[in-house]
Amino acid sequence: MSSAPRQTAKSATKKAKPQRPAQTELPAEIRGVHVTMALASIPGKLAEYGSISGLNTIELDVKDENGEVAFHTRAPRLARQVGSAMRYYDPKQAATQLHKQGLYVIGRVVCFEDPILSEKRPELAIQNSGGGVWHNTAGLGWTNPYDKRVWAYNLDIAKAAVRAGFDEIQFDYVRFPSDGDIESAVFPGKRNEAMSASIARFVHYATNRLHEMGARVSVDVFGLSATRNLGIGQSPRRLSKIVDAISPMVYPSHYGSGEYGLDSPVSVPGKTVGRSLRDFRLQMRRGKAQLRPWLEDFSFTGTTTYSHVQEQIRAARRWKSGGFLLWNPSGVYTTGALNAK
């Protein structure tokens, strides 16, 4: 009869590997809307959004395309130093309130378009070939996607939101710039690799660390990024192997005439969304990420209708997405759009 192995002092004192924190349950179908930090700052506004019939998710700006961070006291030191830390809302109070309303809470963190950090810390920015900070067509500065100090800055903001109670972080503008004088842009520390590999390295770095905190991670990508290479480093194939969800912005009004063989994509929103999601399904077939599109609840002509939104939702369900998120830049959403089966 063999005896049990002796326990050495070393093995007795060896610490167990820390357990990953429990995650908030993910809704079977995400039905969410986007809320800006400015709207969230209006007393009672978050509760008003939370009471939208059929809603189970809020995607709330944590850091936006202006480089602003929604909160101050919980913001990383660098955000306070460069003046990006604002006082729109308290993240813990916001997350607690939304959870009490039974909602899943996603924090949006805009990554590389960052007019504040790029101007205050120009050494972290994309540079001009003639010197100085590079700007896009709108005159906004971008931080350098190759610089790991920029990576750490965005991760620290995301971690602050997770510590405050946010269930998921959604990275936006996680790409290289798409407009402006790209030829004059200089990227210090540029690596000899595909842009998509560089973006995937950042996403992998951030996702691993946020997963350790019990948060899920998703990324926003252009609606055509699965159809062709847009030259901005967004590869659904690569990203689907890293993150928990990919949210393509499949807004019908953003597609030009002839795309997907459609004369007027905005006139047939269901077909437009469906054909884009078809390409995403193909690109993501070997990944683990959920497909969760952004749909438009607005119109450039101001004539958005209930049926316009519903056609997009039906297309998302037809392609077995994990749900959908609605976007309206003014934060006004169609009554009843989230209820219909």
Side-chain angles (χ1 to χ4, degrees):
M1 183 175 178
S2 61
S3 60
R6 294 178 61 190
Q7 185 181 55
T8 65
K10 184 177 181 180
S11 64
T13 58
K14 186 177 180 180
K15 292 183 179 179
K17 185 178 180 180
Q19 295 294 308
R20 175 175 165 176
Q23 290 183 315
T24 301
E25 185 176 354
L26 184 72
E29 178 188 65
I30 290 284
R31 296 186 301 275
V33 297
H34 169 66
V35 179
T36 67
M37 55 182 73
L39 285 169
S41 72
I42 301 172
K45 197 67 176 177
L46 269 184
E48 181 183 321
Y49 278 112
S51 65
I52 293 175
S53 182
L55 187 83
N56 62 21
T57 300
I58 289 283
E59 195 245 23
L60 180 59
D61 275 344
V62 169
K63 175 175 178 264
D64 68 10
E65 54 269 48
N66 297 314
E68 291 186 341
V69 178
F71 43 84
H72 189 275
T73 55
R74 296 175 183 272
R77 180 183 300 175
L78 181 55
R80 297 195 299 271
Q81 288 175 345
V82 300
S84 63
M86 305 298 172
R87 300 180 187 273
Y88 287 104
Y89 63 80
D90 180 278
K92 187 172 182 60
Q93 290 179 5
T96 300
Q97 175 188 326
L98 293 172
H99 284 148
K100 285 181 178 178
Q101 291 181 271
L103 300 172
Y104 184 72
V105 185
I106 303 175
R108 174 179 179 247
V109 175
V110 170
C111 295
F112 299 122
E113 180 177 283
D114 192 329
I116 296 178
L117 186 62
S118 60
E119 298 300 333
K120 297 292 186 178
R121 293 286 301 273
E123 72 276 15
L124 304 181
I126 299 174
Q127 308 292 310
N128 251 321
S129 56
V133 175
W134 180 89
H135 298 89
N136 66 6
T137 302
L140 301 176
W142 278 62
T143 51
N144 184 4
Y146 294 104
D147 197 317
K148 291 190 175 179
R149 292 171 295 180
V150 175
W151 293 14
Y153 176 67
N154 286 294
L155 175 63
D156 285 346
I157 293 167
K159 288 168 71 173
V162 172
R163 282 193 290 267
F166 282 62
D167 304 309
E168 178 176 318
I169 295 299
Q170 187 169 77
F171 290 117
D172 198 2
Y173 287 78
V174 58
R175 58 179 176 82
F176 287 81
S178 59
D179 63 277
D181 185 6
I182 305 295
E183 297 300 318
S184 70
V186 175
F187 300 87
K190 182 177 179 179
R191 293 169 64 104
N192 184 25
E193 64 183 8
M195 285 182 172
S196 60
S198 300
I199 294 300
R201 283 193 303 106
F202 162 71
V203 173
H204 188 270
Y205 156 87
T207 298
N208 280 352
R209 286 153 181 80
L210 292 170
H211 275 174
E212 290 172 357
M213 299 177 69
R216 294 183 180 87
V217 180
S218 55
V219 291
D220 293 333
V221 297
F222 281 165
L224 282 169
S225 62
T227 303
R228 55 179 175 269
N229 184 354
L230 300 176
I232 55 173
Q234 287 186 341
S235 168
R237 179 181 60 81
R238 286 182 186 270
L239 296 173
S240 68
K241 298 175 182 178
I242 303 170
V243 296
D244 301 293
I246 291 180
S247 291
M249 298 174 283
V250 292
Y251 309 132
S253 63
H254 285 43
Y255 292 88
S257 177
E259 196 66 61
Y260 299 122
L262 303 171
D263 291 337
S264 175
V266 71
S267 299
V268 284
K271 284 186 178 179
T272 303
V273 169
R275 292 182 187 185
S276 178
L277 296 185
R278 172 196 63 193
D279 290 350
F280 274 91
R281 275 276 170 242
L282 182 64
Q283 289 291 322
M284 295 168 59
R285 66 190 184 279
R286 294 179 181 171
K288 62 178 183 177
Q290 184 183 73
L291 178 60
R292 185 201 300 159
W294 277 103
L295 309 176
E296 67 181 22
D297 190 356
F298 73 95
S299 168
F300 290 137
T301 63
T303 58
T304 299
T305 63
Y306 175 85
S307 62
H308 181 83
V309 180
Q310 276 300 302
E311 284 186 43
Q312 297 173 72
I313 292 174
R314 281 195 292 270
R317 287 172 171 160
R318 196 160 52 242
W319 283 95
K320 302 187 187 310
S321 70
F324 52 88
L325 297 161
L326 300 184
W327 179 61
N328 181 309
S330 64
V332 179
Y333 296 97
T334 300
T335 301
L338 298 174
N339 283 332
K341 301 296 185 184

